[in-house]
Amino acid sequence: ELQQKVEETEVLKMELQMLETERVRLSLVEEKLMDVLQLLQQLRDLNISKRALGKILLSTLESCRDPQPGKAQLFEVLDTLQQELTACELLHKQPLEQAQSPRSLSNPLMISC
């Protein structure tokens, strides 16, 4: 009976370890999804066209073609989508007022050497 309890304990430890691994994986997917959603929100605020957004999404899906579906593929797609969205030119453009330094705005005739 003691041996049976030891085996049950080992099985429960393995199940707990698998659950913890799955929890960590889901946590990483959640973080990546939040990053992607924040980037999409920023692009929406910049009025990105649906066509441009569609191109980003299609490019992501095309680059993530993998004949072996699995749990890792979801994370790969989210990671690639985040990279594609981050690389979007609209996120890196700054309005003219922000691009100029405060010193050049205070005296436009001053020439710095």
Side-chain angles (χ1 to χ4, degrees):
E1 188 174 313
L2 184 61
Q3 180 64 24
Q4 184 181 1
K5 293 287 185 189
V6 168
E7 289 173 2
E8 288 176 5
T9 303
E10 289 300 317
V11 168
L12 288 173
K13 283 181 181 178
M14 286 178 17
E15 288 178 2
L16 183 62
Q17 185 177 9
M18 288 174 24
L19 284 173
E20 182 64 21
T21 301
E22 185 67 10
R23 186 192 68 75
V24 169
R25 186 189 71 79
L26 288 174
S27 179
L28 291 172
V29 168
E30 181 183 25
E31 286 178 25
K32 188 63 67 172
L33 185 57
M34 289 301 295
D35 291 344
V36 166
L37 290 174
Q38 287 176 346
L39 288 168
L40 287 171
Q41 180 70 42
Q42 289 175 4
L43 288 172
R44 190 189 81 171
D45 292 344
L46 295 172
N47 295 323
I48 188 171
S49 72
K50 291 178 183 179
R51 182 180 203 142
L53 191 56
K55 285 181 181 181
I56 291 171
L57 183 57
L58 289 175
S59 171
T60 298
L61 294 175
E62 186 66 30
S63 67
C64 290
R65 279 191 165 174
D66 191 86
Q68 301 174 353
K71 294 178 181 177
Q73 188 176 14
L74 172 66
F75 191 79
E76 179 186 351
V77 170
L78 283 173
D79 191 46
T80 304
L81 182 57
Q82 181 190 22
Q83 292 171 10
E84 293 276 343
L85 291 171
T86 302
C88 183
E89 292 174 7
L90 285 176
L91 289 175
H92 301 290
K93 290 183 179 176
Q94 295 179 346
L96 183 59
E97 302 84 39
Q98 291 179 356
Q100 294 176 339
S101 68
R103 188 173 68 190
S104 65
L105 288 175
S106 62
N107 191 349
L109 299 176
M110 184 190 305
I111 299 173
S112 65
C113 297

